């Protein structure tokens, strides 16, 4: 019997569980009230649509009538999509770490006291029967039920201890942390770079894009050209099995240390950041034609192919592609050598080309995934300049054939924060490569996210087919602010600045915390830890970090000391958290360095910009903030000259050099 509570959800992940025999609820007042009234603990299951092990647990346990009967007898069962409720996910993932002294993951399985929603037992995936050194889920349910009935005081005491820990973040400071904490984090992360295989840490291997961005920022600040382990780290993302060599984009992570076999889900959270990260590296240090050509080709492939596959009818982008196809992990992406040869021969490619591809991608070696082959370069590049993007005739033929296979399901919910993150990436990559088509895509996406007649305060965290989900979270609005600021730097308009001010106003009104930082959620979200303040990054940078960084850049660019003050308060509030684990705060530390050591901003005021275009493009390619305006109303402290070709104001922080009237002399100041 179909569960109407889940079927009406704005989450495809919840909808997929509507036919379970489990009496699921979404997280809502009805479920929480029933748990209290019936004095039954809550079984909270958190996952997302593309998660392989979420599907496994659903098939093994949640579809089993006998296990479901135990769940329905003893518990109020709540299913949550982590992408729609990041506040709940962050709360209970942190609780998992506190209770188990290790990281969690998905599916997350938590048991909560019904009266105060505190967790007293948390795990991740549990098999239906005992294996992998874990208890069977049915046995676990009986044991948890027994503990709740027989040891109520202990469950409440443990739950409250977790709640106190979550509600009491590390202490802040009266002073902004020194920039030396960024040096300490850089040293730790550089020590974690894998010299043998590239990337950070060991298996499983994640792209770690926020950490990689931090290392790129640090290298740029030192005038480093990015050779060595950093170059190897970026090459590893592009040359092995993490990157989809046919369609572009990256998978969520690789299960092995040498980047051969991924977990096959593709997430917008990773691919939204990819254009910015890769283009940042392309122009790091002395310009390298090989590096730029390789990266532009692969970013273009990701934007023009994979991301177009993710585009929704309203012009925004879907959240993910599933890891499984018809219940089989990675089935869409796997090959046999005979199949590859047949496809390429049918496409008319010669034997030399086919043999070269087979050898280059290891199809003449033993199978690398359950008797089949996932495409990864057999000989891995040690630097980006050595990466060889797949030749177009081979790529086109294989992708056309792959597209005839059954395809993984797509999670069609549109998430505000991740789409804003993508808009930022398109704008920045477009600026660096001089790709006006990417810039146009970024503007189009951003303006679809926030139509002119929509108030920021009314924005949901996402929607499915036009139906909104819960109100936007801090991270959503922080990422939206960043995207709007990038758009303003590119085209400085009064309307865009007004929207920026509206976003900042909404954040300060709804999310302000007594610490000076900002809470992840507000009262309208009914979160169990309403005051949760997060500074650490995960797959995406933390909202407080993005906010501090964006306010710092805007504050220095526009002379807004009030916005600099908001950023300063975040740094002070985060001092204790940074001190405890600086390497977990990479985006916040990049912002901290920009706060202490502001970047150069070039403001060009001219009635006619034609003569300045080369200078503008050159400086943007180098990652510099350039604001070019023909208006007297914007940045009035940098006046528009009445005569002449215009003036360029070169500023760093609160200090500016005498204005420059000649575009060529302007560029000479940066050589």
């Amino acid at each position: 019997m179909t569960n109407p509570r889940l079927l009406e959800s704005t989450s495809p992940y919840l909808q997929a569980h509507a036919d379970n025999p489990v009496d699921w609820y979404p997280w809502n007042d009805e479920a929480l009230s029933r748990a209290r009234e019936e004095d039954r603990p809550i079984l909270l299951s958190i996952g997302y649509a593309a998660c392989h092990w979420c599907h496994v647990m659903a098939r093994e346990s949640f579809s089993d009538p006998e296990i479901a009967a135990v769940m329905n007898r003893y518990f109020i069962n709540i299913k949550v999509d982590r992408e729609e409720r990041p506040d709940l996910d962050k709360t209970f993932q942190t609780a998992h770490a506190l209770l188990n002294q290790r990281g969690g993951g998905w599916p997350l399985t938590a048991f909560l006291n019904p009266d105060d929603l505190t967790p007293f037992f948390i795990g991740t995936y549990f098999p239906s029967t005992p294996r992998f050194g874990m208890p069977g889920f049915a046995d676990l349910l009986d044991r948890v039920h027994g503990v709740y009935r027989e040891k109520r005081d202990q469950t409440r005491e443990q739950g409250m201890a977790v709640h106190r820990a979550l509600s009491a973040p590390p202490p802040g400071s009266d002073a902004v942390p020194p920039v030396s904490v960024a040096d300490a984090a850089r040293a730790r992360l550089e020590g974690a770079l894998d010299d043998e295989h590239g990337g950070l840490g060991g298996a499983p291997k994640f792209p770690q894009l926020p950490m990689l961005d931090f290392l790129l920022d640090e290298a740029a600040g030192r005038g480093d050209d990015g050779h060595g382990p950093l170059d190897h780290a970026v090459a590893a993302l592009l040359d092995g099995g993490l990157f989809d060599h046919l369609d572009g984009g990256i998978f969520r992570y690789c299960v092995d240390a040498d980047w051969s076999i991924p977990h096959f889900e593709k997430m917008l959270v990773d691919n939204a950041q990819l254009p910015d990260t890769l283009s940042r590296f392309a122009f790091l240090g002395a310009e390298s034609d090989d590096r730029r050509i390789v990266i532009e080709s692969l970013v273009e492939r990701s934007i023009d192919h994979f991301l177009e596959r993710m585009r929704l009818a309203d012009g925004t982008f879907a959240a993910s592609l599933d890891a499984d196809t018809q219940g089989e992990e990675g089935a869409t992406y796997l090959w046999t050598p005979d199949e590859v040869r047949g496809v390429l021969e049918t496409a008319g490619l010669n034997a030399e080309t086919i043999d070269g591809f087979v050898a280059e991608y290891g199809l003449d070696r033993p199978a690398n995934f359950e008797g089949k082959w996932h495409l990864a370069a057999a000989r891995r590049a040690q630097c980006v300049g050595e990466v060889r993007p797949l030749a177009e005739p081979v790529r086109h033929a294989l992708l056309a054939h792959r597209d005839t296979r059954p395809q993984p399901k797509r999670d069609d919910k549109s998430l505000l924060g991740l789409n804003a993150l993508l808009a930022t990436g398109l704008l920045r990559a477009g600026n660096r490569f001089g790709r006006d088509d990417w810039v146009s895509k970024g503007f189009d996406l951003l303006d679809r996210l926030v139509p002119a007649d929509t108030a920021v305060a009314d924005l949901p965290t996402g929607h499915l087919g036009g139906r909104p989900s819960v109100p936007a979270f801090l991270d959503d609005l922080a990422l939206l602010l960043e995207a709007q600021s990038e758009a303003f730097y590119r085209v400085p308009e009064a309307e865009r600045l007004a929207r920026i001010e509206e976003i900042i106003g909404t954040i300060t009104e709804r999310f302000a915390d007594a610490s000076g930082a900002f809470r992840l959620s507000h009262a309208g979200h009914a979160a169990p830890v309403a005051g949760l303040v997060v500074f650490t990054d995960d797959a995406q940078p933390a909202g407080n970090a993005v906010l501090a960084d964006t306010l710092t850049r805007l504050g220095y660019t526009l002379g807004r000391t009030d916005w600099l003050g908001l950023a300063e308060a975040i740094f002070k509030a985060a001092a204790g958290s940074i001190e405890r684990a600086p390497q977990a705060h990479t985006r916040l530390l990049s912002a901290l360095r920009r706060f202490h050591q502001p970047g150069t901003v070039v403001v060009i005021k001219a009635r006619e910009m034609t003569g300045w275009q080369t200078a503008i493009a050159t400086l943007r390619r180098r990652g510099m903030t350039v604001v070019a305006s023909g208006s007297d109303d914007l940045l009035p402290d940098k006046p528009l000259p009445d005569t002449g070709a215009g003036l360029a104001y070169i500023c760093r922080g609160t200090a500016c050099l005498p204005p420059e009237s000649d575009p060529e002399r302007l560029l000479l100041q940066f050589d």
Side-chain angles (χ1 to χ4, degrees), residues 414-616:
S414 173
L415 295 167
L416 173 61
L418 298 189
N419 275 274
L421 191 60
L422 176 58
T424 297
L426 291 168
L427 290 166
R428 288 178 175 170
N431 278 336
R432 293 183 182 118
F433 279 108
R435 293 290 299 262
D436 289 343
D437 55 334
W438 297 352
V439 172
S440 295
K441 286 177 184 283
F443 271 103
D444 177 72
L445 174 57
L446 184 54
D447 292 338
R448 288 175 185 271
L449 290 176
V450 194
D453 59 351
T454 301
V456 169
D458 295 333
L459 291 173
T461 191
H463 63 81
L464 180 67
R467 292 188 296 124
S469 57
V470 298
F473 293 90
L474 171 67
D475 291 12
D476 298 315
L477 296 186
L479 290 167
L480 180 62
L481 177 66
E482 181 178 39
Q484 292 283 8
S485 70
E486 288 298 325
F488 176 80
Y489 298 143
R490 177 76 186 208
V491 181
E493 298 173 325
E495 294 81 5
R496 190 78 63 183
L497 182 57
R499 186 64 90 177
I500 286 170
E501 292 174 332
E502 182 187 5
I503 296 169
I504 295 172
T506 302
I507 289 173
T508 54
E509 179 182 342
R510 291 192 170 183
F511 297 93
D513 184 72
S515 67
F518 295 87
R519 300 173 179 176
L520 178 58
S521 60
H522 59 67
H525 292 111
V529 181
L532 190 65
V533 176
V534 179
F535 299 113
T536 54
D537 305 324
D538 44 40
Q540 70 186 60
N544 271 297
V546 174
L547 184 57
D549 201 7
T550 307
L551 289 169
T552 294
R553 293 184 64 206
L554 284 169
Y556 283 129
T557 300
L558 301 176
R560 291 292 300 262
T561 55
D562 54 337
W563 293 349
L564 290 170
L566 291 174
E568 181 179 26
I570 294 172
F571 296 131
K572 290 178 178 178
S577 185
I578 292 172
E579 182 179 4
R580 186 167 62 184
Q583 73 279 6
H585 300 75
T586 49
R587 182 59 184 277
L588 194 60
L589 294 182
S590 286
L592 181 66
R593 190 176 290 282
R594 278 187 271 275
F595 186 83
H596 283 295
Q597 301 166 355
T600 299
V601 176
V602 178
V603 176
I604 298 173
K605 300 294 282 288
R607 299 186 187 281
E608 174 54 57
M609 290 291 172
T610 303
W612 294 92
Q613 290 304 324
T614 298
I616 291 171

Side-chain angles (χ1 to χ4, degrees), residues 321-348:
L321 287 179
D322 210 321
D324 298 358
T325 301
Q326 297 181 336
E328 184 178 346
E329 185 182 5
T332 296
Y333 304 101
L334 302 175
W335 299 87
T336 66
D338 288 345
E339 184 182 22
V340 165
R341 287 185 179 277
V343 170
L344 297 183
E345 287 169 359
T346 301

Side-chain angles (χ1 to χ4, degrees), residues 327-383:
E328 184 178 346
E329 185 182 5
T332 296
Y333 304 101
L334 302 175
W335 299 87
T336 66
D338 288 345
E339 184 182 22
V340 165
R341 287 185 179 277
V343 170
L344 297 183
E345 287 169 359
T346 301
L349 299 181
N350 60 45
E352 183 181 357
T353 298
I354 296 171
D355 289 344
F357 171 75
V358 165
E360 188 172 354
Y361 281 83
L363 292 157
D364 57 351
R365 301 182 180 188
N368 59 15
F369 187 80
E370 298 181 358
K372 292 189 176 182
W373 282 255
H374 172 61
L375 298 181
R379 285 190 64 185
R380 301 295 170 77
Q382 298 298 299
C383 64

Side-chain angles (χ1 to χ4, degrees), residues 15 21 157 189 259 282 324 554 577 662:
Q15 291 178 359
E157 182 179 341
L189 291 175
W259 301 99
D324 298 358
L554 284 169
S577 185
D662 183 85

